[in-house]
Amino acid sequence: MIKLNQTALSRRGLLQTSGAALLAGAAAATPARAQLPSQGPDAPYHPHPAARVGQPQEGPDTPKLTLYMEDLLSDEEAVSLKQLGINWVDTQAVPAQPWGMDYLQPRVDALKKHDMRIGIMMIRWSYNGGMDPNMSKIVYGLPGRDEEIAKIKETIVNCGKLGIPVVEWNFFPHRATDGYQPIPGRGGATMTEFKYDRMKDLPPIPVEGTHSYEETWKNMAYYLKEVVPVAEKNNVVLSVHPNDPPPPMSRGSAQVLNSFNDWKRLVETVNSPSNCMTWDCGVTRELGEDPIVVGNWLASRNRIGQVHFRNVVMRKPREDYTEVFPDNGDNDMYAVMKLLVKNNYKRLIFPEHPRGLAVDKLLPKAYGAYAAWAYNVGHCKAMLQIALREVRGL
């Protein structure tokens, strides 16, 4: 089952050709509602296809929902996601780089039994704010970074061989998790509040040091120029998550992906369909930007590797906001979904950062935040179905 601790202060815990072609946009027309749906992990499910009349469903040329899966070999966890209508999974529970075929193949095969696929593999970041050990030399520009890059290149090649279409990554000298704090929301549900004042005067961590904006950007550009050509050759999309939380500084080091201008600069540094952003509409609002403007800029250029679908109440850009339920924040989540459908976005949407619900505390420990995840999925799926009906007339 989904084993996520809602109160953990982390992005997840707060929360080849065939696979790449399916997500990036197979050239199949959307089936008319009277047609029989094809079978497979990206086809709509109906127990009686000949009689299907209801709402629009996911297909090869629509966005598709994904959820995080902790153990790709767990039949129980796969079934729990399948019952929510999830056919593509996202995971970061991975070993050190490179991810060999001996690691990836059994997990691909385990999901195949459930008619499911790996959609996103994430190069893991540290939950305590520190740097991913798989990329620390790359981020800090230290001797040995070329060896780290070579391992990531090997991982990209292996993902391409198995049709795993997206590899997500992050780039920060120190993640600004010190500003987080859980607070009660409606009915006592757990919200997540960020205030930069809690951390702005905290000193650098000696083992990490301090790093300027231009130094960090130079190291990121070096990495991009090495790995993006390999990804493009192997039909893999690299999708970087922006700084989240997004204050300008964290423990004495600059964050390089904490503005819309930064996101544009990244996309333009290596102009490739394999160099994409993880577009988080929640982070977009945290920056004080209009998600519709930003989302249209990225989607119209096919530079969204995946979508993180969540909502916030923003009080001061980058410095003061609260993560809330998808239905009661500053973002118009239906407008977000419509822009994706209008721009023919076909990759994955992750309705992430579930809120802490009392009912989940009553469930067996193995279920974690299952009810909260189900709430997010239901909301997101409804937004998608309505957008498909309105925009495409399905």
Side-chain angles (χ1 to χ4, degrees), residues 18-321:
S18 58
L22 284 169
L23 279 178
T30 304
R33 293 178 64 201
Q35 291 178 325
L36 300 183
S38 61
Q39 301 303 305
D42 63 330
Y45 168 79
H46 195 284
H48 306 291
R52 184 170 71 86
V53 294
Q55 301 177 76
Q57 302 295 321
E58 295 177 6
D61 62 343
T62 74
K64 290 161 273 288
L65 272 63
T66 185
L67 278 186
Y68 174 71
M69 186 168 173
E70 185 174 313
D71 181 2
L72 296 177
L73 297 176
S74 168
D75 288 334
E76 183 184 28
E77 194 172 354
V79 167
S80 73
L81 299 191
K82 189 74 175 182
Q83 289 178 353
L84 296 180
I86 300 298
N87 295 311
W88 295 85
V89 301
D90 180 351
T91 186
Q92 63 173 353
V94 296
Q97 296 292 317
W99 307 332
M101 297 294 283
D102 58 337
Y103 176 82
L104 294 172
Q105 187 71 65
R107 286 153 177 82
V108 169
D109 294 343
L111 287 171
K112 190 175 182 180
K113 294 186 302 182
H114 302 282
D115 209 9
M116 299 170 72
R117 289 186 177 182
I118 300 173
I120 303 160
M121 296 287 287
M122 180 179 175
I123 300 176
R124 189 169 187 164
W125 59 7
S126 173
Y127 285 156
N128 64 7
M131 191 55 234
D132 186 328
N134 291 301
M135 291 186 65
S136 59
K137 295 182 177 67
I138 299 170
V139 173
Y140 298 138
L142 298 175
R145 69 174 174 179
D146 288 335
E147 287 77 9
E148 286 186 346
I149 289 173
K151 292 177 182 179
I152 291 173
K153 287 179 179 178
E154 185 177 341
T155 285
I156 292 168
V157 171
N158 290 337
C159 286
K161 290 177 181 177
L162 292 173
I164 298 171
V166 176
V167 173
E168 187 180 16
W169 57 286
N170 306 274
F171 214 89
F172 49 83
H174 184 89
R175 187 174 176 227
T177 55
D178 301 285
Y180 279 138
Q181 181 172 303
I183 63 170
R186 68 187 187 201
T190 303
M191 306 292 110
T192 304
E193 181 185 75
F194 179 82
K195 288 185 179 293
Y196 187 47
D197 284 346
R198 295 189 183 112
M199 63 165 295
K200 66 180 182 180
D201 296 324
L202 293 177
I205 296 175
V207 70
E208 296 174 354
T210 61
H211 304 272
S212 70
Y213 178 93
E214 287 304 330
E215 172 198 349
T216 305
W217 192 276
K218 180 179 178 182
N219 293 337
M220 186 169 63
Y222 182 92
Y223 170 75
L224 283 171
K225 291 172 183 176
E226 287 289 321
V227 297
V228 171
V230 177
E232 188 169 341
K233 181 179 179 181
N234 288 275
N235 299 298
V236 173
V237 167
L238 299 179
S239 188
V240 62
H241 197 288
N243 294 135
D244 180 25
M249 302 291 292
S250 179
R251 291 279 189 167
S253 289
Q255 300 203 95
V256 296
L257 292 173
N258 77 325
S259 75
F260 185 25
N261 285 336
D262 289 338
W263 301 1
K264 291 178 179 178
R265 183 179 179 186
L266 177 129
V267 166
E268 293 163 356
T269 294
V270 179
N271 186 12
S272 165
S274 286
N275 180 29
C276 289
M277 294 287 304
T278 293
W279 181 48
D280 189 319
C281 60
V283 174
T284 307
R285 180 65 65 182
E286 294 164 14
L287 297 177
E289 298 284 354
D290 182 346
I292 306 307
V293 173
V294 174
N296 275 317
W297 191 92
L298 290 167
S300 65
R301 291 163 174 79
N302 189 25
R303 293 300 183 264
I304 299 179
Q306 65 162 315
V307 173
H308 284 181
F309 194 78
R310 63 180 183 86
N311 216 338
V312 302
V313 172
M314 192 274 294
R315 291 172 291 274
K316 184 178 180 180
R318 297 183 179 84
E319 297 188 13
D320 189 354
Y321 60 86

